[in-house]
Amino acid sequence: MIQKKYQSQNGYELQTLGDAESFLAASLDFLHQNEDINATVISTAQMIMSGSTTFGIPHWFGAIRDKDYSLAGCAIHAQPDGLTVTEVDAALARPVFEWVSGSGIEPKRITSEPKFTDSISHLWKELRRKEIAMEHYWDVYRLDSVSDECISSATGTLRLARSDESSLVKEWGNWYAREKPTFLNIGDFFQRKLALRELFVWDDNGPTSIMSLSARTRRGIRISALYTPLQFRGKGYASSIVTEVCKRQLSLDREFISLSAQKGDPVERLYTRLGFYPVGQRKSVTFTS
């Protein structure tokens, strides 16, 4: 059910939608046009609709329609991800800022296409006196098939993480966060993924690398984290776990695997070597509390 409508000065109609079910009914076909890039938005709304408490309140959902009433963009807010906006014209930053602010949402984090993120976060800085704590640029990648040449180079095997490894999983998540500061508690994130059976390890006489999956969509799934402790690096474990997980997922009739990597992170070389190719860019801005 649509709660409110706002008409921007740019000729777009901004609709606030009452719940995740209404949001998906209005936007799912649009989101699936770029399913690899919009995987997180799709899965977040689906999890909220299912009653999952992974994404906390305040929940907020919006649709952006052009003069022909065709969907031109979407926006969603939930903790801890904050406000995520699909790719839209940066000229809509002020109307979207006024729209979201008017709904009582004060996001701790904003993610969108880089120009839009810069424009709208500037408004939160200038008009709401927000201070930026972190900025991250992300490259979005996609893999459609695994080359026969991508054979696991490391000794060991792929398996699901076990419940008796919960403490290790949390510790590795905390190490990950120290190397790559993030808005999310990665230790807790890994433990949630373990409980959901979405956390994999490469085992060579014990865990040597760890990887999680999330954001199942109509045709694909997303890699949401990959970590290899320092003492196990340089032995092919990361390449092997990514290759084997992707092979298994594509054998389940998924058409693609997607992921986001921080721009400039050395892990991008690993992904491109395995056949991932860029499909988009995102920027996130995290504000201080």
Side-chain angles (χ1 to χ4, degrees):
M1 175 177 135
I2 296 172
Q3 291 181 327
K4 296 179 181 178
K5 295 183 180 180
Y6 298 86
Q7 187 71 35
S8 84
Q9 65 266 40
N10 299 72
Y12 289 84
E13 186 174 86
L14 311 180
Q15 298 179 328
T16 301
L17 301 165
D19 51 39
E21 185 175 6
S22 300
F23 174 75
L24 288 171
S27 66
L28 195 55
D29 287 343
F30 168 83
L31 290 167
H32 274 127
Q33 292 174 21
N34 293 292
E35 186 178 341
D36 43 11
I37 298 176
N38 295 326
T40 300
V41 173
I42 295 168
S43 65
T44 298
Q46 289 174 336
M47 291 180 71
I48 293 171
M49 186 172 69
S50 74
S52 169
T53 58
T54 299
F55 295 98
I57 57 174
H59 298 153
W60 179 88
F61 312 92
I64 303 168
R65 296 187 179 276
D66 62 21
K67 62 182 179 181
D68 298 321
Y69 207 64
S70 297
L71 209 60
C74 304
I76 184 171
H77 182 277
Q79 299 293 10
D81 286 10
L83 177 68
T84 302
V85 184
T86 62
E87 187 168 347
V88 293
D89 191 333
L92 280 172
R94 181 172 285 274
V96 171
F97 165 77
E98 293 173 350
W99 175 38
V100 175
S101 296
S103 299
I105 300 297
E106 291 290 333
K108 295 181 180 178
R109 185 174 185 250
I110 299 172
T111 303
S112 187
E113 185 274 332
K115 288 184 179 179
F116 187 87
T117 296
D118 285 340
S119 297
I120 197 167
S121 62
H122 176 77
L123 292 169
W124 251 285
K125 282 177 60 181
E126 294 300 311
L127 302 178
R128 291 289 189 273
R129 297 295 186 264
K130 293 279 191 178
E131 295 293 333
I132 293 177
M134 291 187 289
E135 293 184 320
H136 292 120
Y137 285 89
W138 305 90
D139 288 320
V140 183
Y141 289 91
R142 171 175 171 143
L143 177 75
D144 301 310
S145 62
V146 178
S147 170
D148 291 337
E149 297 177 2
C150 293
I151 301 172
S152 300
S153 60
T155 56
T157 58
L158 176 72
R159 64 170 172 82
L160 283 168
R162 301 190 306 258
S163 59
D164 63 341
E165 295 168 329
S166 177
S167 296
L168 176 70
V169 162
K170 186 177 180 66
E171 182 180 35
W172 283 17
N174 293 335
W175 291 353
Y176 178 109
R178 283 198 291 270
E179 288 188 35
K180 302 176 184 180
T182 178
F183 72 101
L184 192 65
N185 185 315
I186 302 297
D188 290 347
F189 173 79
F190 276 162
Q191 288 188 313
R192 288 199 303 273
K193 289 297 178 182
L194 186 152
L196 292 168
R197 297 177 61 82
E198 294 178 334
L199 190 68
F200 298 84
V201 299
W202 190 263
D203 190 316
D204 187 14
N205 294 315
T208 58
S209 192
I210 193 167
M211 174 179 158
S212 64
L213 292 173
S214 61
R216 288 178 173 81
T217 58
R218 184 181 295 166
R219 296 174 297 145
I221 195 165
R222 186 168 68 91
I223 294 172
S224 49
L226 169 67
Y227 182 68
T228 304
L230 187 61
Q231 66 268 30
F232 298 125
R233 293 178 190 173
K235 301 179 181 180
Y237 295 133
S239 296
S240 294
I241 193 172
V242 173
T243 298
E244 291 305 312
V245 169
C246 289
K247 282 182 179 178
R248 293 189 185 188
Q249 291 300 314
L250 292 170
S251 73
L252 297 173
D253 292 329
R254 303 196 192 282
E255 293 183 18
F256 68 88
I257 315 293
S258 63
L259 62 89
S260 295
Q262 287 189 38
K263 195 170 186 66
D265 191 318
V267 76
E268 289 190 297
R269 294 196 296 272
L270 180 152
Y271 290 132
T272 55
R273 188 172 69 249
L274 296 178
F276 285 86
Y277 59 93
V279 292
Q281 290 187 327
R282 290 291 179 266
K283 180 180 181 180
S284 64
V285 167
T286 303
F287 298 114
T288 57
S289 300

